[in-house]
Amino acid sequence: MLNIALPKGRLGEKVYDAFEKAGYECPEIKEKNRKLIFENSEKQVRYFWVKPSDVSIYVERGAADIGVCGKDILLEYCPDVYELLDLDMGKCRMAVAGPKDFRDDPDRALKVATKFPKIASDYYDSIGREIDVIKLNGSIEIAPILGLSDVIVDIVETGATLKENDLGVLSTIVDISARLIANKVSFKFKGEQIKDVVSKIKEQL
Ligand code: PRP
């Protein structure tokens, strides 16, 4: 049985569709219920829904053999997993955003609110700018509006959240998309099955 961690939500549904088209269907997953684990013993697959930011934890520790998560999670947490495939879904970008008239004052540390402290620190290290990171867990856009931070580092997909809060992108850090990842031990012992999944999914993209 191949254990597959899918990110709960809209992206997860698209990802499952790709697995289904690749021949790894599990029809019960589409029924409206609160179940979290589904299996198709004939196809040798077991799917489970987890919080998107937890997928890499399940895969790194081997509770899942493979899974799908955003590149943002891989850059932030650096899990010890193999990144096998860019699924070309869940596309967005990691960006610095703030008030449109924002002017940086180089004489003091820049206050940056974010859910992604490592990505923010790595980015500002790379341009040699000292920052004060403020780690938040959501609704990051509020921080510069209330004066908690100067700018934010966050995911921008459609840009609607920024626009509706009178903020704008100041610079793009990196493009993000969903990635198929694998546990390193599973890749050794279930390598043939995993490679088969990867090649069949690739044909669907
Ligand atoms: C993400 C992100 C932005 C928003 C961007 O938040 O943190 O707030 O989506 O999308 P947009 O550019 O299409 O408006 P999420 O919905 O994950 O909620 P959160 O703020 O609670 O983390």
Side-chain angles (χ1 to χ4, degrees):
M1 199 60 98
L2 195 67
N3 290 306
I4 305 168
L6 294 177
K8 234 197 242 181
R10 207 157 33 99
L11 171 65
E13 284 166 24
K14 279 180 80 174
V15 170
Y16 169 73
D17 286 342
F19 276 83
E20 187 182 69
K21 282 197 197 113
Y24 300 96
E25 72 276 8
C26 192
E28 200 197 352
I29 211 168
K30 294 217 159 160
E31 288 169 16
K32 288 258 172 291
N33 58 37
R34 307 281 290 175
K35 262 185 83 166
L36 297 170
I37 303 180
F38 302 88
E39 68 179 56
N40 180 342
S41 46
E42 190 203 323
K43 299 280 174 167
Q44 295 279 293
V45 286
R46 181 188 292 127
Y47 293 99
F48 39 92
W49 295 117
V50 304
K51 206 175 146 106
S53 52
D54 288 343
V55 168
S56 67
I57 300 172
Y58 282 83
V59 174
E60 182 176 31
R61 290 177 173 264
D65 299 306
I66 61 173
V68 173
C69 70
K71 181 71 181 176
D72 51 327
I73 299 298
L74 301 180
L75 291 171
E76 182 63 28
Y77 299 105
C78 304
D80 189 18
V81 297
Y82 292 131
E83 186 184 325
L84 299 179
L85 188 64
D86 182 347
L87 293 174
D88 206 35
M89 299 174 189
K91 286 175 146 183
C92 52
R93 57 186 164 140
M94 187 66 65
V96 179
K100 287 173 199 141
D101 58 358
F102 173 73
R103 290 277 169 275
D104 192 1
D105 173 2
D107 294 335
R108 62 171 182 82
L110 182 71
K111 285 189 279 176
V112 182
T114 186
K115 275 187 280 190
F116 303 95
K118 181 177 188 314
I119 293 176
S121 301
D122 287 351
Y123 170 69
Y124 281 103
D125 275 353
S126 78
I127 59 170
R129 178 74 174 97
E130 187 196 347
I131 63 167
D132 172 14
V133 182
I134 302 161
K135 164 82 168 70
L136 296 177
N137 299 298
S139 300
I140 315 296
E141 291 81 359
I142 292 177
I145 298 169
L146 297 183
L148 177 66
S149 72
D150 299 308
V151 295
I152 63 174
V153 165
D154 200 13
I155 299 261
V156 179
E157 192 181 352
T158 61
T161 312
L162 291 180
K163 197 168 170 217
E164 288 178 26
N165 289 289
D166 281 327
L167 302 171
V169 169
L170 303 172
S171 48
T172 293
I173 298 176
V174 64
D175 288 324
I176 303 289
S177 57
R179 308 296 162 102
L180 182 65
I181 58 172
N183 172 270
K184 289 188 167 176
V185 176
S186 302
F187 194 73
K188 207 166 166 188
F189 292 103
K190 299 184 182 177
E192 286 314 308
Q193 203 184 351
I194 293 173
K195 281 179 206 159
D196 216 35
V197 171
V198 172
S199 70
K200 287 185 179 141
I201 298 260
K202 241 184 194 167
E203 288 167 20
Q204 303 309 311
L205 301 178

